[in-house]
Amino acid sequence: METPAAAAPAGSLFPSFLLLACGTLVAALLGAAHRLGLFYQLLHKVDKASVRHGGENVAAVLRAHGVRFIFTLVGGHISPLLVACEKLGIRVVDTRHEVTAVFAADAMARLSGTVGVAAVTAGPGLTNTVTAVKNAQMAQSPILLLGGAASTLLQNRGALQAVDQLSLFRPLCKFCVSVRRVRDIVPTLRAAMAAAQSGTPGPVFVELPVDVLYPYFMVQKEMVPAKPPKGLVGRVVSWYLENYLANLFAGAWEPQPEGPLPLDIPQASPQQVQRCVEILSRAKRPLMVLGSQALLTPTSADKLRAAVETLGVPCFLGGMARGLLGRNHPLHIRENRSAALKKADVIVLAGTVCDFRLSYGRVLSHSSKIIIVNRNREEMLLNSDIFWKPQEAVQGDVGSFVLKLVEGLQGQTWAPDWVEELREADRQKEQTFREKAAMPVAQHLNPVQVLQLVEETLPDNSILVVDGGDFVGTAAHLVWCLFGDGAFGYSLIEFDTFVRHKIPVMALVGNDAGWTQISREQVPSLGSNVACGLAYTDYHKAAMGLGARGLLLSRENEDQVVKVLHDAQQQCRDGHPVVVNILIGRTDFRDGSIAV
């Protein structure tokens, strides 16, 4: 029979509970001290007399990274950073809608090779940018979105325009951070700028709460009661708020490095390059498809163009690679891409992915040897498990890879009959379009004819932007970018922006009074044109009301198309934004018809 253990005296448990309670209290106090930065404040003081503000830190980092423009729609949350940017010589371009500010930052990134920057206010200001941020993500454009936010102390407490912005942008951005103290602005922005350009470029988002942007005295006025409260609880709250404020500004103005951090750009290995050199050297009918990634830094457009010319492989250009070889380069093939890809024995997909534009890879011949290079491994292998297989898949910078490929193939030439075969197919397709341009229309203008005349008058250094459906689809065969009348409704108000900032934009609006690209499928299949009809609106007069120049092209002056286009270009050269409203018939490239 076992002897029961003697029960421990109740008094002997008290020291253990006391020790546990004391430990818990100490841990809580240390945690509070850490959150309030009490230890940091012992070594880094707060300059309570300073009138400096966090917006100055933002502007300093942007200037150190070579940023020349910031696009915005103003809001009280972000006013300090806009004022600071203006003082440092960064041009502040204010738009009429937040989505336009981000689209403009995207364009700046694509054209300059640097990070495009947009700043918008909290809540609806940020939610308005989602479409443009997603567009930048898909286009792999390095943009920095700066977003205002409610005070750090009031977040999740029902403050004005306070929403969970980080959760909204995490799926869209490579880097998504909220700055909690003024001293963190500089290192956070440096990290964000590097993240935007490293690996596969893309958008990054930095949230800047209002209390890290405004000066100490203004934040203190809003946060700390003017009169000391009475009672123990009041004094504890006051002590907490004072230390919270001190932690916000402790070390805020101490010198920090502001310049760019090193970028992480993947490169093809020498072994991969050599294998690709050997594959291409044995090709009889090589073909290259260049996409936007080919134009990313560090390789300049001039170096890439020279490399492509030296390589001597016929190529299709897509995305930001359009225009790389000029207007009529013998290596640039524009038409019949699917047929050319079927005939090629070696295909180099340089920054191009097998998505819908390449029919998910189905246009690639199974007998072709395919080399694909891309910074993003997931995109590089898209649909390779279903419709196509790469002979060599290279994760690395596209422009650098092309330069190394050319170096390895020095002296290599290919039979000219392959290029000539492709160019002859181009000429036949262009003849088809000339025939369509000559077709009579019952009313308005033949859009194909108009676009051919546009192409003939375009200066070689034009920068072209596209938004639309049917009219732009027509233009894709001739020139590159224009407005459809439906799409123009989104952007019309920005002609006020162009006028105020003296930006000489020329918009050609193909006005066929409808969402024709949708109507063409909807009416035959569903028997209704509901929601597809628009009017032959006087868009040129609306632009004139915003201070821009407006011109009309219609059946009445169809013999003056070239003159009107030249006049529009001259007005742009004089610094005026111009809208040319072109009344056109509707096209259907499936059967070659042109209707009213």
Side-chain angles (χ1 to χ4, degrees):
M1 184 174 181
E2 296 182 0
T3 305
S12 65
L13 297 177
F14 181 74
S16 299
F17 283 123
L18 181 61
L19 183 61
L20 179 62
C22 290
T24 302
L25 179 61
V26 170
L29 291 174
L30 289 174
H34 175 73
R35 286 193 299 273
L36 291 172
L38 298 181
F39 303 120
Y40 185 87
Q41 292 178 48
L42 294 175
L43 301 175
H44 305 270
K45 300 302 180 183
V46 178
D47 185 357
K48 298 182 179 181
S50 175
V51 295
R52 295 186 62 183
H53 54 77
E56 297 174 7
N57 290 11
V58 175
V61 174
L62 297 183
R63 182 177 65 174
H65 283 74
V67 174
R68 297 171 51 224
F69 298 88
I70 183 169
F71 301 93
T72 189
L73 197 159
V74 71
H77 292 84
I78 59 171
S79 291
L81 75 86
L82 300 178
V83 172
C85 284
E86 181 188 39
K87 288 182 178 178
L88 291 186
I90 299 172
R91 183 173 174 182
V92 180
V93 181
D94 56 310
T95 65
R96 296 297 300 271
H97 196 290
E98 290 88 354
V99 75
T100 308
V102 179
F103 277 135
D106 183 351
M108 179 59 63
R110 300 192 202 195
L111 295 173
S112 69
T114 60
V115 178
V117 182
V120 300
T121 196
L126 271 163
T127 60
N128 280 345
T129 69
V130 168
T131 297
V133 175
K134 182 62 181 180
N135 189 72
Q137 182 192 43
M138 297 182 70
Q140 300 175 350
S141 293
I143 66 167
L144 168 63
L145 175 61
L146 302 173
S151 164
T152 57
L153 192 64
L154 296 179
Q155 289 184 3
N156 300 317
R157 297 183 182 277
L160 175 66
Q161 295 183 336
V163 297
D164 185 358
Q165 298 172 163
L166 294 181
S167 294
L168 183 64
F169 285 96
R170 281 194 186 101
L172 306 177
C173 297
K174 298 177 61 182
F175 179 97
C176 208
V177 173
S178 179
V179 175
R180 314 310 288 178
R181 295 160 300 210
V182 179
R183 62 179 176 271
D184 295 333
I185 290 176
V186 171
T188 300
L189 289 179
R190 294 179 75 210
M193 295 288 277
Q197 301 171 87
S198 293
T200 304
V204 295
F205 172 56
V206 175
E207 182 182 78
L208 295 166
V210 67
D211 50 353
V212 303
L213 287 181
Y214 278 84
Y216 179 91
F217 74 92
M218 295 182 69
V219 178
Q220 180 189 40
K221 182 179 179 181
E222 294 294 326
M223 185 178 292
V224 181
K227 296 181 179 180
K230 298 178 181 179
L232 177 61
V233 174
R235 287 194 292 270
V236 169
V237 171
S238 181
W239 174 87
Y240 177 86
L241 292 175
E242 288 173 357
N243 281 280
Y244 188 96
L245 176 64
N247 186 39
L248 275 175
F249 285 87
W253 319 124
E254 295 177 5
Q256 298 185 69
E258 298 169 347
L261 294 170
L263 304 182
D264 179 16
I265 299 176
Q267 297 290 343
S269 70
Q271 295 80 11
Q272 288 176 311
V273 174
Q274 183 57 35
R275 289 196 295 270
C276 295
V277 166
E278 293 172 1
I279 293 170
L280 197 54
S281 67
R282 294 190 290 269
K284 302 297 182 184
R285 298 183 305 281
L287 192 64
M288 180 180 288
V289 184
L290 282 166
S292 295
Q293 275 198 20
L295 273 295
L296 294 176
T297 53
T299 305
S300 69
D302 289 339
K303 284 186 177 180
L304 182 63
R305 175 188 173 121
V308 171
E309 291 177 329
T310 301
L311 188 61
V313 172
C315 57
F316 289 92
L317 304 176
M320 289 305 295
R322 291 188 178 99
L324 177 69
L325 297 177
R327 191 185 292 264
N328 295 307
H329 198 282
L331 292 176
H332 181 199
I333 311 302
R334 297 172 59 179
E335 309 292 350
N336 303 299
R337 185 171 66 178
S338 295
L341 289 169
K342 289 291 186 184
K343 294 179 180 180
D345 59 352
V346 174
I347 300 168
V348 181
L349 301 178
T352 300
V353 299
C354 290
D355 58 11
F356 71 96
R357 287 164 289 191
L358 290 181
S359 191
Y360 310 99
R362 286 177 293 192
V363 297
L364 304 177
S365 171
H366 292 294
S367 62
S368 302
K369 293 182 178 179
I370 300 167
I371 298 169
I372 185 166
V373 55
N374 198 290
R375 290 195 187 189
N376 186 300
R377 180 171 179 79
E378 182 178 347
E379 286 199 353
M380 179 173 64
L381 299 177
L382 191 64
N383 297 310
S384 64
D385 57 336
I386 305 175
F387 298 118
W388 69 285
K389 291 289 182 185
Q391 182 79 11
E392 197 68 42
V394 181
Q395 185 177 5
D397 176 62
V398 176
S400 302
F401 172 82
V402 173
L403 297 187
K404 294 173 184 175
L405 199 62
V406 171
E407 185 179 340
L409 285 162
Q410 284 184 351
Q412 176 78 37
T413 59
W414 286 272
D417 56 341
W418 169 234
V419 176
E420 180 56 30
E421 178 183 343
L422 297 174
R423 289 186 60 78
E424 176 57 29
D426 258 17
R427 287 190 286 268
Q428 292 177 6
K429 194 68 171 285
E430 289 165 3
Q431 177 59 32
T432 301
F433 290 132
R434 282 192 289 272
E435 292 171 0
K436 290 180 179 178
M439 289 182 180
V441 292
Q443 297 181 37
H444 309 300
L445 299 177
N446 182 323
V448 184
Q449 182 185 42
V450 171
L451 290 168
Q452 283 189 335
L453 294 172
V454 168
E455 185 172 42
E456 292 171 7
T457 60
L458 277 175
D460 288 339
N461 61 347
S462 298
I463 296 173
L464 301 164
V465 182
V466 57
D467 191 10
D470 199 68
F471 187 60
V472 168
T474 307
H477 298 277
L478 302 163
V479 295
W480 295 304
C481 330
L482 302 164
F483 276 113
D485 56 334
F488 190 61
Y490 293 116
S491 306
L492 172 60
I493 191 63
E494 295 302 341
F495 274 80
D496 169 77
T497 304
F498 302 147
V499 169
R500 288 184 291 107
H501 290 276
K502 297 179 172 60
I503 302 173
V505 172
M506 184 168 73
L508 304 182
V509 183
N511 187 351
D512 60 1
W515 299 95
T516 306
Q517 193 174 56
I518 307 301
S519 174
R520 179 176 297 114
E521 303 295 335
Q522 180 175 306
V523 173
S525 61
L526 298 173
S528 173
N529 196 48
V530 63
C532 294
L534 296 172
Y536 280 103
T537 301
D538 290 334
Y539 295 111
H540 58 297
K541 292 183 179 179
M544 292 168 67
L546 296 171
R549 304 297 171 88
L551 300 171
L552 176 66
L553 273 176
S554 66
R555 179 61 66 85
E556 283 68 30
N557 63 345
E558 64 178 325
D559 59 335
Q560 301 179 36
V561 171
V562 174
K563 179 181 181 302
V564 171
L565 293 175
H566 279 303
D567 288 348
Q569 291 181 55
Q570 183 58 54
Q571 293 189 49
C572 271
R573 284 191 287 270
D574 293 341
H576 305 291
V578 181
V579 170
V580 182
N581 187 18
I582 309 172
L583 305 188
I584 59 173
R586 296 171 183 171
T587 60
D588 192 337
F589 276 97
R590 296 172 304 178
D591 60 8
S593 64
I594 301 179
V596 176

Coordinates of all heavy atoms in Angstrom, one line a residue, residues 90 104 193 197 209 249 330:
I90 N 11.7 69.0 -57.6 CA 11.0 67.9 -58.2 C 9.7 68.5 -58.7 O 8.9 69.0 -58.0 CB 10.8 66.8 -57.2 CG1 12.1 66.2 -56.7 CG2 9.9 65.7 -57.8 CD1 12.0 65.2 -55.6
A104 N 0.4 57.8 -65.2 CA 1.5 58.7 -65.6 C 2.9 58.3 -65.0 O 3.9 58.3 -65.7 CB 1.2 60.2 -65.1
M193 N 12.5 51.7 -53.2 CA 13.0 52.0 -54.6 C 13.9 50.8 -55.1 O 13.8 50.5 -56.3 CB 13.9 53.3 -54.5 CG 13.1 54.5 -54.1 SD 12.0 55.1 -55.4 CE 13.1 56.0 -56.4
Q197 N 12.9 47.9 -58.6 CA 13.8 47.7 -59.8 C 14.5 46.4 -59.8 O 15.0 45.9 -60.8 CB 14.8 48.8 -59.8 CG 14.2 50.2 -59.9 CD 15.3 51.3 -59.8 OE1 15.9 51.7 -60.8 NE2 15.5 51.7 -58.6
P209 N 1.5 57.6 -42.8 CA 0.5 58.2 -41.9 C 0.7 59.7 -41.7 O 1.9 60.2 -41.8 CB 0.6 57.5 -40.6 CG 1.2 56.1 -41.0 CD 2.2 56.5 -42.2
F249 N 9.2 61.2 -33.3 CA 10.1 62.2 -33.8 C 11.6 62.0 -33.3 O 12.4 62.7 -33.7 CB 9.6 63.6 -33.4 CG 8.5 64.0 -34.2 CD1 7.2 63.7 -33.9 CD2 8.7 64.7 -35.4 CE1 6.1 64.2 -34.7 CE2 7.6 65.2 -36.2 CZ 6.3 64.9 -35.8
P330 N 14.8 46.4 -92.1 CA 14.7 45.1 -92.8 C 14.5 43.9 -91.9 O 14.0 42.9 -92.3 CB 15.9 45.0 -93.6 CG 16.9 46.0 -93.0 CD 16.1 47.1 -92.4

